[in-house]
Structure formats: C-alpha cells, structure tokens
Amino acid sequence: MLSPATEEDLAGILAERSEPLDVQGGGTRRVGASERERLSTAALTGITLYEPGALTLVARAGTPLAEIEGALAAEGQMLAFEPMDHRPLLGSEGEPTIGGVVAGNVSGPRRVQAGGCRDSLIGVRFVDGTGTIVKNGGRVMKNVTGYDLAKLMAGANGTLGVLTEVSFKVLPKPEAVASVLLEGLSVADAVRAMSKALASPFEVSGAAHAPVGVDGAPVTMIRVEGFGDSVAYRAEKLRNLLSEFGPVAVETREGRDGGVGTAAGWRWARDALALAEAEGDVWRVSVKPTDAPKAVDALDADRILLDWGGGLIWAAVPPGTDARARLKGIPGHATLVRADAESFKRLGAFEPESVPLAILAKKLRQQFDPKGILNPGLMG
Amino acid sequence: MEMPTPDPGILAKKGRVVARLSDVLPKDAVISDISETRAYECDALTAYKCPPLCAVLPASTEEVAAVLKICHEEGVPVVPRGSGTSLAGGALPTADSVILGVARLNEVLETDCDNRFIRVQTGRTNLSVTGAVESDGFFYAPDPSSQLACAIAGNIAMNSGGAHCLKYGVTTNNLLGVTMVQMDGTVVEIGGAHMDAGGYDWLGLICGSEGQLGVVTEATLRILPKPEGARPVLMGFSSNEVAGACVSDIIKAGVLPVAIEFMDRPIIEICENFAKAGYPECEALLIVEVEGSPEEIDAQLGVIMQIARNHDPVELREAADSDEAGKIWLGRKSAFGAVGQVADYMCLDGTIPVSALPHVLNRIEEMSQEFGLKVGNVFHAGDGNMHPLIMFDANKPGDLETCEAFGAEILKLCVEVGGCLTGEHGVGIEKRDLMDVQFAAADLEAQMRVKDVFDPAWLLNPAKVFPLKASEHRRSAAESAAA
Ligand SMILES: Cc1cc2nc3c(=O)[nH]c(=O)nc-3n(C[C@H](O)[C@H](O)[C@H](O)COP(=O)(O)OP(=O)(O)OC[C@H]3O[C@@H](n4cnc5c(N)ncnc54)[C@H](O)[C@@H]3O)c2cc1C
C-alpha cells in the first residue's frame, strides 16, 4: 500500500504512475474488492486551521474523523452534516478519515435541515491523475470565485483527484435535543407524518422511520435541536401537529453512551444500524419523499430504514438482487453499498448516468485523470 | 477593460445568422436592429457597454436548444442573460455575440409542498418564486437585495446569496435540479425532486459557473416553511473593532442568527440622511435578526443583547413591533440607493475570514486616504462577505480608473488575509484579470479544463471569469478549428 505523508510525495507518485490504483482514506468502506495496489491518504493528517469564532475548520484529508469531531466538540461545535460511520453496517475495520467522508459526500440525518457534506464543504486541495496539485475554494464560507470544483470533488469518490486538504463551515452544537416519536405507522403514514413535520416552522433536523425499530415495532422519529426552552416548545408543537397519527411520545434523554435516548437513536438511524444485522446486500436509494412508499413496495426488501423524511431509503435485499430493476419507473437513483465482489462487478456501485451526462463524465475523467489510474470504472 | 477583438467574419454574416435564428423563433423574439439591441448593451456594471450582434428571447427549452444549435454551427458566441442585474459584467455582450435572454421563460411548472420544492423556468424573478408559494406558508430562501428584478437564471449562474444566507445558505444549497442546454443544443436533465442527485455533483459545478457551461432553462428549487416570526435588534458601537468582536462572540455563543449586517460610519450617515431610519451617530452598526416563536425570539435576543452589552454599545434597540423592525431594516435595505444619491459608486464583494475584519477595515480606511476616494462599508458580517462601496465622480476624468485601482487593492487585501475576490456577485469581466491573485496557474487550468468539457469551442459567455491571457491559446485554438 502506498501511503504518502505529504502532498508533494503524493503528487510525485501520481505523476509517475501508469497502473490503476484503489484510492482510499481509512479503508472503512472500500467499494467492491480489487487486486489493484492501494493508495491511502491516511498519513496526510492534522487539523491545519480551526477558528471557532468564524465557524471554520481546515484539515488534511487523512485526519481521522474522530479527531475532527473531538476538536469541534471541545469548542461546542460540530460538523453540520453528521457523517455516518460505515463500520457496523459493512463489518469493516479501520479509522474513517475526513477525506474519505468528502470523497463519498457522506451525509447523515441532518441533511434535511443543514444540507449534505458538499454543503458544508468550502474548499479543497487535491492532486489530479497527472500529479498536478490543485486548490479550489478556501476557508471563507461565501466564495463564488471561479468554478466550484470543491463540490465536484465531493462525491467523486476519488475518480477525479486525490483529496489532500478539506475546509468546512461548521455549526454550533445544539444545547438540547428532543425526538418526537410515533409508533406503529405504516410506511405511507410515516412519510405523511414526516412531510407534515418538515413543512412546519419548527425547524426539524431529522426525520426517520424504521418499519422494524430497536424493539421490533415500527418507529417514526422526528428531531428538534437548539436551546433548551426552544426545543421543549417545538417538541410540544410537533406533538400536537402529529396527534392525528396516534399517540406521540417525546424523548429528551440523551443516552450518549449506548443507553436509550436521542443520541443513541439518531446514531442508530445515521449508521443504518437497522440493517447491520440483516442478511444480504444493502442498497441506498434516493427518491422524492412521497415516492418512498411506492419505492418500498417495489423493493420488497427484507429490512428497510427511511431517512430524510423518506427521501433516503436503506434496503437490505437478498444477495445479488438488482434493486435498480425493481425501482424502474420511479425517479431517483440507487447505490449498492454492501454486496460481494461479483455483485459489485455485475451491478456497479453507482446508478449509470443518462447518456449526455455519462459523456460529460467520461470527458471530465479524461481531463483530470487522463491515464485512467484513479479508481477506474468506479463511477462509469 | 480589454475585450477580444470581435470576429470580422461573424460581423459580416450577421444577416445570415439573424435569418437562421428567425427561422426557429417567433418574429418578435429576434432583435437585430441596432436601436433595439442597445437595450442589451450592459448589465448593472454600467461602466462597460457593447451592443451585441443581436438578441433572442426564446420561450421554451426547445427554442433555446434550436438557437444554441445554430450558433454552434455558425461558431457565434452566446451570452446568456437573465434580468441583467449582474454587478460583475457577467452579462456584458461582445459585438460578435448573440444575447440569449430567458425573460420569456417565466412560468411556474410545479409546486409541491409535501416534498418541499418548486419547479420554475429560470427567467422567473427571485421574489416571484417566493410569491408563488407564500400562500402555502413557504418561501425560497436565497434573497439577494436585487430580488425584485433578478432572475433565477442569473442567481444560479452567479450562485447568488443574500442577507439571510448565514442560516439558509446560498443558491447552491437550495438547488435540487436543472434542465440545461449545452452549447451544441443537447438538453441535459440534472437532479430533480429527490434530495441528492446521483453521479458527480453536476449541480454544484453548474451553479456559479457564470453561464459558461450551458444555458439553464428550468430549475427545481428547495422551498422552506416560513418561520413563525422574526425580529431584529440594532446595536451601535464606538469602533469597528468592538463591533467585529461582538460578531465573533455571538457566533461562538452558539446562537445562529439568520442575519448579521454591518454598517460603518460613512454608510450610517448616508443611509440616515436618505432614509431617516433613526440610526444613532456612531462608528459601527450591527443589525442582528433571529427567528422563531415570540418566546424563542426573546430567549435568543436575550443571549445576543447580553453579549452586546459586554461590548459597551452606544445604542441597543430591539424592535418592539413590525413597524420598528421595518425601520431598523429600512436604512440597510436602502444603502445602495442612498449611496447612489450622493455619488457614483463601485460595489466590491470580497470575502474575508471574520477574524480579519478590524484589520481589513483599517487598511481600507488608510487606502481611502491614499487614493483620495471615500469608501463606505455595508456587508454580511456573519460570513465575512464585505461590500465596500467606493464613491467617485464618473464625470471627472480619471476618477473611474482611480476607483478601479483602489478596488483592485481592496480585493488583493481580501485574498492576502485568507479570503477571496468575490463572495456572491461573481467574477464576470470585473474581477477576471485579478483571478491570478487568488489562483495559481494550475488552479485556473483545472477550471478551464472543465470549460473544455462542456464548451470545447469556448463560445459560451466569452471573455469572462478567466484572465484573457490564461485562456488565450484555448480561444485561438477553438477559433482556428472552427475556421
Ligand atoms: C442593487 C443590486 C443589489 C444586488 N444585491 C445582491 C445580493 O444581495 N446578493 C447577490 O448575490 N447579488 C446581488 N446583486 C447582483 C445580481 O443581482 C445577481 O448576480 C443576480 O443573480 C443576477 O441575476 P440576473 O438575472 O440579473 O442575471 P444577469 O445579470 O442577466 O446575468 C448574470 C450572469 O448569469 C448568466 N446567465 C443568465 N441567464 C443564464 C442562463 N439561463 N443560463 C446560464 N447562465 C445564465 C449571465 O451570462 C451572467 O454571467 C445585486 C445587484 C444589484 C444591481
């Protein structure tokens, strides 16, 4: 495994290289398995700038996510987009890195309110497939100077360049959290309830539904965050708003270390733990929220979890199932997240893009990775 | 401002180009008479003017595709145009270009409150998007001060922001999908009503690309439920430093106001004379606005006012009702107009790290002495997006040039302290030649390679964003390939 300790070393490697590489951060969610040599950014570590008063943090790509979250927590701040930890779901080991999070645009439940990883990302440095070091964006949160290549790199999964440094706009950590809970809803009712909550002025920061909750029964969770009184007020308003869907409970215990409570509950949703125990392949499906019931029917999955008010569906299906075929006709896209190598090869991790976009994607890769050495084939 | 020499070959075939365009558009949608093309000779950066070869006003995506296909075949540059409110010269024509205006594409195509989006044609104005969902209790968050006039098309091209983007983000954070026509007439659909578009982040790339990658004809926009209420406070301070420290303390305290606006003494005075908003006499004013229920607002303002008191304000005024709230905002909202009454002005748009605020304001003041031009500062302090307004006299020979030189120095300072040239107005022609202050050659090269992918002949919105020198060999290669 290649593990350069500086951006210059990385640039040197890529300038010389002609054989394909598997690019990774901490290696906690390798998509598919390959025999290629691996290139890891795990040795490019360190927070290079953190200014709490300006809500900005800059770190090298290999910095462990845990280190970043720790530094932010010490100042009462957080990454707004709540990245998941893939290890339980994938049964993988290693240490998630911030660069890997950005490369995959990994975004958790708070996406409905604060946006995804790409929305918090304000700058990148990367090395393209020719060994050229490129900077885009910076450390200020409003910046429209030139094209936004930072967003392009978020979710490019290392196919256009290897990230070496990333900058974020961060947010204050809320003082209090409450989960408004509904039990026993069908998927259709749950989506209706979540839409209603998300269309209210009560600043919902999470809306998830599991047909099989922790205790086996369907549970719908709506989250509000902020100052203590405000959270209590908004949770109460939501309780009234949602009363047509049955009895509503409000959970305010935190339960940070494994106990029952809001932190544990939202970590459970964030990491798709409802599916960790389930057998088979795992798909991540993005649809219009009100299409979720239809999509869930079409998927006919063994285990389901809805996040983003229904806009994100996690589904566990029998090994080798082509979920995209089942979803035909429903706008959106499906990503294969957990499967054996053969299935990844046959189905591809990512939904094929439309013809004109696939042409643009190919040309883009030719520009940024003309030798075809950065995770070739991963994104088309 | 240097612009490429118009291609005489194109000027010579104006008749044919106009005839071909007239074949695919209604009669009144092709404007070629010189007396009428003047209406498109500039945007809100009025110092630069150039009538286009002709202007077209297509009313559908198909018509846009037909226009682009013809221009592509003829090798004629195209300048997309929304409402022409760009402050960066983003919609400035060249003499050999066709202006493609989207003003007739102004329909609402779909509103969906359950899924919280609206789909519109991009010629629709920003404010009228909110207008279309207001009665359902929703709004479209990005709110540039020009929102009555500017179009969603221009907002997407410039990734526009507004006073409330500290909480809600800018255009790119509120864009779910687009229909875009490429220069060769190919129509692409990107994203849609689902929350994250698949594949590469094309939306992120298109947003802020200043009309150089394609013409956006339709957009799916995220709409948000209106907050229960909002209330501003006004704070006056005895120095810019103290006001800056107060901003930083508010942010650190964990309250996230929807807006923190900053005005310095020259702007306070000009606004007060113009709008009679009752602003106090002081060095720096902050307007801080929070949202929620009345009790939530009380609680948040409680925290904010306490922080302000720790900084010895000369004035601290909470709006008691909507009249008073309106009054607090009145001066700020009329700032550009008020300055326009007393002088010609150039509005800059650099962003700086919030911590550099006092240093940068002091340096600007020193430079103001050196250049002999007055400057006022009014800006979004929460995110460091400055708007220095340099005042000059357009009738005085040399004044515009001095003003531009002064502006360039301010923008260099923004970059030097870790910021950027433009926070929301875009590069256009205005900041084009300063791009290499912020970017190394390889950084610009990477961006131009993206342009190569979308528009290999470099026909879309020519001579913008990239320094002419940097793009020279690409443009001439494309030209000789066409010839
Ligand atoms: C008084 C005043 C206040 C302002 N306040 C703000 C503010 O608070 N925040 C802010 O961000 N901006 C502000 N602006 C700047 C300006 O309003 C914005 O940049 C706005 O988004 C431009 O929209 P427009 O429709 O007028 O675009 P235009 O000026 O017509 O064009 C702007 C750019 O968009 C491109 N373009 C237009 N249509 C398309 C299309 N269909 N497809 C692709 N590209 C296209 C053009 O080529 C050009 O590069 C202000 C301007 C004025 C005059």
Side-chain angles (χ1 to χ4, degrees), chain A residues 30 37 40 49 70-71 86 88 97 120 133 147 171 189 221 231 237 253 299 304 307 321 342 349 359 366:
Chain A
R30 293 189 62 213
E37 186 166 13
S40 167
L49 176 125
H86 287 80
T97 64
S120 286
I133 297 170
Y147 298 166
L171 279 189
D189 280 344
M221 334 198 295
V231 166
K237 283 280 184 185
R253 285 171 298 171
L299 280 163
I304 286 282
D307 198 351
T321 306
E342 190 278 323
I359 292 171
Q366 277 163 1

Side-chain angles (χ1 to χ4, degrees), chain B residues 305-428:
Chain B
M305 308 260 282
Q306 189 48 51
I307 293 170
R309 279 189 206 100
N310 296 343
H311 290 278
D312 260 337
V314 299
E315 168 108 9
L316 191 55
R317 189 196 309 162
E318 182 179 340
D321 52 37
S322 60
D323 273 2
E324 283 188 34
K327 243 184 144 183
I328 287 180
W329 275 111
L330 179 67
R332 165 64 185 92
K333 290 202 166 155
S334 52
F336 287 15
V339 175
Q341 292 287 310
V342 299
D344 298 304
Y345 70 89
M346 185 166 107
C347 173
L348 303 179
D349 174 47
T351 306
I352 56 166
V354 184
S355 51
L357 205 59
H359 167 69
V360 169
L361 289 175
N362 284 339
R363 280 290 299 136
I364 290 178
E365 180 50 38
E366 284 165 24
M367 286 191 242
S368 163
Q369 309 280 342
E370 287 161 31
F371 283 92
L373 289 177
K374 204 172 154 184
V375 60
N377 285 286
V378 47
F379 58 93
H380 317 303
D383 49 35
N385 189 187
M386 314 217 15
H387 287 319
L389 301 177
I390 308 177
M391 292 164 244
F392 68 104
D393 181 353
N395 293 321
K396 195 168 141 196
D399 235 26
L400 172 65
E401 289 72 20
T402 311
C403 174
E404 286 183 336
F406 182 9
E409 287 310 308
I410 292 179
L411 294 183
K412 285 180 194 163
L413 173 65
C414 291
V415 174
E416 189 187 300
V417 299
C420 65
L421 298 172
T422 170
E424 58 181 17
H425 295 168
V427 178

Side-chain angles (χ1 to χ4, degrees), chain A residues 51-56 75-77 105 107 111-115 118-120 126 128-130 132-157 159-160 169-174 191-192 194-203 227 229-231 233-234 237 284-291 307-312 331-333 350-351 353-370 379-380, chain B residues 110 112-117 137-138 158-162 165-170 172-175 180 182 186-191 193-205 207-210 212-213 222 224-228 247-248 251-256 291-296 299-300 303 349 351-355 380 382-383 385 387 417-427 435 438-440 442-443 446-454 456 465-466 474:
Chain A
E51 231 176 66
L55 300 174
T56 17
E75 294 288 338
Q77 298 186 338
N105 186 27
S107 313
R111 165 129 216 188
V112 289
Q113 184 192 40
R118 50 90 83 181
D119 294 291
S120 286
F126 64 92
D128 76 5
T130 67
T132 305
I133 297 170
V134 179
K135 180 187 88 179
N136 193 264
R139 57 174 281 205
V140 288
M141 59 174 95
K142 266 179 86 188
N143 185 348
V144 297
T145 323
Y147 298 166
D148 194 344
L149 303 188
K151 293 228 166 34
L152 185 61
M153 296 305 291
N157 291 285
T159 58
L160 300 176
K169 168 190 174 181
V170 300
L171 279 189
K173 219 181 175 69
V191 169
R192 266 197 292 279
M194 292 191 285
S195 282
K196 197 163 181 192
L198 284 163
S200 78
F202 307 122
E203 305 202 352
F227 288 110
D229 289 347
S230 177
V231 166
Y233 164 80
R234 288 189 266 134
K237 283 280 184 185
R284 201 171 172 277
V285 181
S286 180
V287 292
K288 184 165 85 175
T290 52
D291 281 346
D307 198 351
W308 302 352
L312 172 66
H333 58 94
F350 299 98
E351 179 110 14
E353 300 204 69
S354 69
V355 172
L357 286 180
I359 292 171
L360 289 171
K362 192 166 165 217
K363 289 186 184 161
L364 204 55
R365 280 192 297 270
Q366 277 163 1
Q367 290 284 354
F368 285 88
D369 179 23
M379 293 198 70
Chain B
E110 188 182 358
D112 183 336
C113 296
D114 286 337
N115 293 300
R116 300 169 303 284
F117 72 84
F138 285 85
M158 292 312 201
N159 189 13
S160 302
C165 61
L166 186 58
K167 178 168 176 188
Y168 296 115
V170 294
T172 192
N173 312 113
N174 293 278
L175 182 66
M180 184 179 85
Q182 290 177 245
T186 310
V187 178
V188 286
E189 298 287 343
I190 304 170
H194 45 284
M195 209 163 303
D196 63 346
Y200 292 111
D201 193 348
W202 302 111
L203 281 178
L205 185 61
C207 196
S209 63
E210 306 205 10
Q212 293 199 309
L213 304 184
R222 187 166 82 117
L224 297 174
K226 264 193 293 198
E228 287 183 89
V247 170
S248 175
I251 290 174
K252 268 193 279 192
V255 250
L256 194 64
E291 290 178 345
S293 69
E295 296 76 22
E296 289 179 289
Q300 292 178 73
V303 176
D349 174 47
T351 306
I352 56 166
V354 184
S355 51
H380 317 303
D383 49 35
N385 189 187
H387 287 319
V417 299
C420 65
L421 298 172
T422 170
E424 58 181 17
H425 295 168
V427 178
M435 286 290 271
Q438 185 175 330
F439 293 107
D443 305 334
Q447 296 176 35
M448 289 191 290
R449 280 190 265 150
V450 171
K451 168 86 168 156
D452 291 338
V453 166
F454 283 81
V465 183
F466 303 106
R474 283 182 156 84

